[in-house]
Amino acid sequence: MRRRQLDLTSNHKWPYCLRRCSYCNFNKYISRENNDVMMTECLRRETDALLQLSQVSCVTSVFFGGGTPSLAHPLTIAAVLETVAGRVSLSDEAEVTLEVNPTPEGKSRLEEFCVAGVNRFSIGVQSLQDEDLKILGRDHSSHQALQTIEEARRLRPGRVSVDVMFGRPEQSVESWESELSELLKVCDDHVSLYQLTLERGTQLFRRVQGGEASVPAEDVTAEMYQRARTTLHQHGFLQYEVSNFARHNAVSHHNMSYWRGRQYIGVGPGAHGRFVPLGEGGVDREARTQTLEPDVWIREVQQRGHGTRRRIRLGHLELLEEVLVMGMRMTEGINHKHWQMFSPQLGLREVFGTSAEVREFLQSGRLVLDDRGLRCSWDGLAVLDSMLPALLVELERETSRKLQSDEQRERSDPR
Amino acid sequence: MSTHTDKESIDLSKFPADRIRNFCIIAHIDHGKSTLADRLLEMTGAIAKTEKNKQVLDKLQVERERGITVKAQTASLFYSHEGEQYLLNLIDTPGHVDFSYEVSRSISACQGVLLIVDANQGVQAQTVANFYLAFEAQLAIIPVINKIDLKNADPERVESQIEKVFDIPREECIRISAKLGTNVEKVLQAVVDRIPAPAASIDDPFKALVFDSNFDHYRGVVANIALFGGQVRKGDRIVSAHLGKTYEVNELGLLRPDEHPTQKLFAGQVGYIIAGMKDVKEAQIGDTLYLQEQPVESLPGFKPAKAMVFAGMYPMDQSEYPGLRSAIERLTLNDSSVTVQRDSSLALGAGWRLGFLGLLHMEVFNQRLEQEYNASVIVTAPTVPYKAILSSTRLIKNRRAIQKNMVYIDDQRVMMKYLFPLNEIVVDFYDLLKSMSSGYASFDYENAGYQAADLIKMDILLNGRPVEELTTIVHRDRAYSSGKAMCERLKDSIPRQMFEIAVQAAIGSKVIARETIKAYRKNVLAKCYGGDITRKMKLLKKQVEGKKKMRLIGNVQVPKDAFIDVLKRKD
């Protein structure tokens, strides 16, 4: 009998923001009235309900995102953590991350958040150029961001992450490089690099369409990415995922869980989860999404304990596909043992060893398939999305072939 | 003038051969033959006189839209002249140079023609071509000068032209305005007076020529026939000489121009017959029909039309192949001047190579495919039939065309004959000529047989690997421009990949054109997920589906659309 996975990570969404950044298309709302108390209560309730449903015995990490979770009252954080600890085992060492918007207000609360149980901060710096912060619609200055970083480092040294964005309007490779140098002087041991993507419906998208703003060309952003990778490497950071870099092993355990295909519950409006609802007698992992609008979500949680809007069962192939796509984003890739947990009958070599195209990736040095497992090389990681379709085609082909031959064998020898 | 309404039944036995006239109207394009046909139909009561009778005989949607006649249609008219009732059978013919085959078919069923010439434009290329067809068939020719109502009409000049070019006395010309009806009565009289009756006797055994056919979904093949002897009635058992098959006559009658069933058809008459033929091939144009008990000698058949322009036609997707095949079959049944050959392309799958009489013919065909049969087709660039010669023979010439002769028609016009390589003409020559000469120049061609020419094979390479499906044969002078165009189109349709892609056009080992598709330096999403990977998975799955439809040429992924974009006709 396969060992059940008895732990998961949990992520909670505080959906409110004071304003919407010009590039953002996340599920977030400007709260008009103060219903923090109700929101808190519902977060507790849903956390409890979903943990029960998953029947896990242990939560390994907790993540507060959103919205702007640093707008929530530290008591809200404490309450949710209390609920988790009440239902499952939550180790003292468990990573508890809070996303922080580096305004003075946010900074002033950091200490209270620590008291509430937060032991890691992820600060949305995005840019150190004040002009750019305006274009991005941020409500803080770079100075304030630097101060927030400082405070966070004081409270939780070695456990502070900084988010920065490249591919911003008017950005050049040179300005990016100097910005990075500035950042590297003051940041802690974890950096997340995100590329600005223009999403339909955002203000920035409209402005670019209208010709009022422009983003750098593809080749320029490619260069920015490569330079950043190199620079961070030179400063002792290990790139462990497409966008994530850590020194002194300060990786984000929460995010690692995603990429390693672990189960997770998503709590709060618009949150996403992936777990097996053993509590209902479920057998397959499900992809779940909670109701998006806070008011509606609140009502649903009040009525039936949780506000799950969508549940989709993930079949064997679909689960494997997610494991593949997420796993390949890590520089360590997917090791054989890990793959075996999800695909006990078909190993990595069996799936990918025969394809001519994959062989070409291997030969050109973009992909590595060896005793450890399957992963991208330094060069390969930058073009991962060009290789994934081929890998997915192979995965589909081999799993269905295996399925057919199993069925045939059963038919000819049903024992 | 007599009228016969649709509802009266007609006793065809009252029309012995000597009171029948079979004629067609031939003319250069737009000189007014369809209008004249309208007028004749009105005047003889076949159709009611209304404004809407513009070009009644142009039945096809595409004909109406383009204002041209594609398919020859037939109408029987009743006309009283000097106390006698006559049966006049009119066959309308297309005017475009592409459709002279239709003209020659119609002519074979007639004993005379009305040769229409525009009073302003005068004798044009088609006038001449059609004249020769009628002349060679020894038909009576009645010259009609039309559009005398227009301001620039100069009938006298045109009469001189006619005299000079055709050697027909100017007194024989009838000046009319088909639009206004002026003198059209005289035309009818001339038909009776000058066109001989068909030499066909009722006492002879039944013998008919199939000069056209139509395929009707419900009733099968409807054949247009001209009786050269005897009579035929419903229930008779007839034989088609070509296949030797026997049929029973289900229905027959006149065309007025709509079908008018009758009990019998008699020698000298023209009409339609439905005899249980279900297959395309059973209604052979040029075939002879006779009674089972009375076999006869076959009538001289037709020369098959020579296709001049070829195009490849392929279904959008191979799953649509059967549908397209049946559409092409049905359409070619009604247009036997299209040659059909099965063909296959490495890129596009199974399809056909169709031969047309000209570009217009092909365009009309396509339009009909889409309108009447709802077929969506990929049309690949037309080619002309080349005979490949293994050695590299060359014609060293400065000019591509050789002048053959020159004749002065009158003090304003000269007729020049050139020998052109067909390739030069096929694509847009007609249109170009018209526009360059402001419409005055007119043009007709004959296939002068194959000649050695400076043709070469051009390859398309992707990162050094030739793409077989895109190999073409071009004239040396065109190689650079078409190679460059193909490379550019490919550059736009092949997505970027992890390495640079060199798109080249080459002749032998020599590269004559090149485009480069840059490599991706970064293609991975550096984005904050927030736990939601569904969207990413969806996007990837879409790419996977797209990838399954791609072909791998070496290590370059090429979508199917890329082949289509490069091969299809540029409009």
Side-chain angles (χ1 to χ4, degrees), chain A residues 234-254:
Chain A
Q234 281 162 358
H235 281 80
F237 283 83
L238 172 68
Q239 180 174 16
Y240 66 99
E241 194 263 354
V242 171
S243 292
N244 289 279
F245 302 74
R247 263 197 298 224
H248 310 129
N249 210 22
V251 301
S252 159
H253 291 107
H254 180 79

Side-chain angles (χ1 to χ4, degrees), chain A residues 7-227:
Chain A
D7 58 54
L8 52 67
T9 174
S10 110
N11 81 85
H12 307 260
K13 290 228 188 286
W14 183 261
Y16 300 114
C17 291
L18 287 178
R19 45 185 281 186
R20 186 180 281 275
C21 301
S22 67
Y23 55 87
C24 179
N25 73 334
F26 278 6
N27 186 48
K28 42 185 54 167
Y29 302 80
I30 317 298
S31 79
R32 268 175 246 107
E33 75 237 347
N34 195 326
N35 59 354
D36 282 11
V37 176
M38 206 146 42
M39 177 60 71
T40 305
E41 196 35 53
C42 289
L43 284 173
R44 283 178 72 132
R45 229 180 130 192
E46 189 170 71
T47 302
D48 197 51
L50 294 181
L51 281 174
Q52 267 197 307
L53 200 50
S54 70
Q55 288 204 347
V56 293
S57 48
C58 166
V59 166
T60 53
S61 63
V62 181
F63 191 96
F64 292 93
T68 312
S70 52
L71 280 179
H73 201 278
L75 288 177
T76 303
I77 307 301
V80 171
L81 288 172
E82 197 184 275
T83 307
V84 174
R87 185 49 74 175
V88 301
S89 146
L90 180 64
S91 151
D92 286 338
E93 265 90 61
E95 178 190 271
V96 179
T97 313
L98 181 85
E99 272 183 349
V100 177
N101 192 30
T103 59
E105 204 199 41
K107 167 175 165 246
S108 67
R109 289 194 178 169
L110 291 183
E111 194 158 0
E112 287 179 70
F113 283 124
C114 284
V115 171
V118 173
N119 55 34
R120 188 171 174 272
F121 295 110
S122 173
I123 305 179
V125 172
Q126 318 306 358
S127 166
L128 287 178
Q129 325 267 43
D130 285 315
E131 265 312 302
D132 288 8
L133 287 170
K134 280 215 191 71
I135 296 175
L136 295 173
R138 304 290 289 168
D139 57 356
H140 59 90
S141 69
S142 65
H143 181 65
Q144 289 162 347
L146 293 170
Q147 286 184 321
T148 310
I149 296 175
E150 210 187 305
E151 172 73 351
R153 284 184 75 185
R154 181 184 74 80
L155 291 165
R156 286 282 181 268
R159 311 205 68 192
V160 176
S161 171
V162 169
D163 283 2
V164 257
M165 236 186 229
F166 65 95
R168 310 189 307 251
E170 315 309 321
Q171 196 181 32
S172 70
V173 176
E174 291 74 36
S175 69
W176 170 237
E177 289 230 273
S178 58
E179 198 175 348
L180 271 178
S181 326
E182 278 302 306
L183 186 66
L184 285 166
K185 290 187 198 145
V186 299
C187 70
D188 199 29
D189 288 340
H190 190 283
V191 174
S192 294
L193 284 185
Y194 296 122
Q195 182 174 343
L196 179 66
T197 46
L198 290 175
E199 302 284 356
R200 276 189 177 280
T202 61
Q203 190 195 48
L204 190 58
F205 183 88
R206 279 193 295 274
R207 292 188 66 218
V208 169
Q209 288 251 292
E212 295 155 42
S214 72
V215 288
E218 233 180 292
D219 288 345
V220 176
T221 54
E223 182 65 23
M224 286 179 183
Y225 182 61
Q226 298 288 40
R227 297 261 187 122

